[in-house]
Amino acid sequence: MDKEERIEYWVSVAEYDLETAEAMYSTGRWLYVAFMCHQVIEKMLKAYWCATMEEEPPYIHSHKRLADGSGLYASMSDEQKDFLNTVVTYNIEARYPETKDALARKLDKDACQYIIEKTKTMQIWIKEKLSAATKQ
């Protein structure tokens, strides 16, 4: 894949994951809403990485490391940085059941609605930065 195809790949899978988060919201699967929102942000950050860096994005799930490594973290507001620190905790792929249960107890309809809205806002912001980066 060339650079543009890699960027488009990450953006499209992020959009798919956002749709999945919304589907999980409609069924009340709160933990998976938060997990999919984590995925949206991770994949948007990887799209930005592809736009600004020569090498492929690393196989990591840390939003801060992805944002920092691509130079995006420095332009984030404190509120955006706080959201990254919050949503990254919902990377549940390899967590043990008791950890998943503890995370799930923090989530409900209102919390997940908030996470989805903040995810959409962050996704749009990264897209704007991505657009500016690809025009250079």
Side-chain angles (χ1 to χ4, degrees):
M1 279 192 274
D2 66 21
K3 181 178 183 173
E4 289 77 24
E5 290 171 326
R6 289 190 334 256
I7 293 167
E8 179 53 36
Y9 166 78
W10 288 114
V11 170
S12 68
V13 294
E15 289 171 354
Y16 182 88
D17 288 350
L18 183 57
E19 291 173 10
T20 302
E22 291 174 328
M24 293 293 97
Y25 182 84
S26 70
T27 61
R29 295 175 185 235
W30 310 131
L31 186 57
Y32 292 94
V33 170
F35 172 65
M36 295 313 299
C37 287
H38 168 277
Q39 292 292 296
V40 171
I41 301 304
E42 179 181 322
K43 290 169 183 173
M44 289 302 298
L45 290 169
K46 289 182 177 183
Y48 187 82
W49 183 289
C50 289
T52 59
M53 307 299 288
E54 291 299 319
E55 69 274 3
E56 290 289 318
Y59 291 98
I60 59 173
H61 306 293
S62 168
H63 296 148
K64 183 183 184 309
R65 286 181 54 201
L66 288 166
D68 200 31
S70 65
L72 190 59
Y73 194 76
S75 63
M76 290 183 172
S77 69
D78 288 343
E79 182 180 350
Q80 289 170 318
K81 291 174 183 178
D82 288 345
F83 180 65
L84 285 186
N85 289 334
T86 299
V87 78
V88 76
T89 63
Y90 295 113
N91 179 27
I92 59 170
E93 287 180 303
R95 301 217 188 243
Y96 291 101
E98 60 274 7
T99 305
K100 285 182 180 180
D101 290 343
L103 288 172
R105 283 191 295 274
K106 297 178 183 179
L107 297 167
D108 61 18
K109 183 177 183 175
D110 292 336
C112 286
Q113 182 62 43
Y114 174 80
I115 292 169
I116 288 173
E117 290 307 314
K118 294 295 281 184
T119 298
K120 288 179 180 179
T121 300
M122 180 71 81
Q123 180 188 33
I124 291 166
W125 183 80
I126 296 171
K127 274 186 179 179
E128 290 169 357
K129 295 291 186 180
L130 186 58
S131 179
T134 56
K135 289 180 183 175
Q136 297 178 356

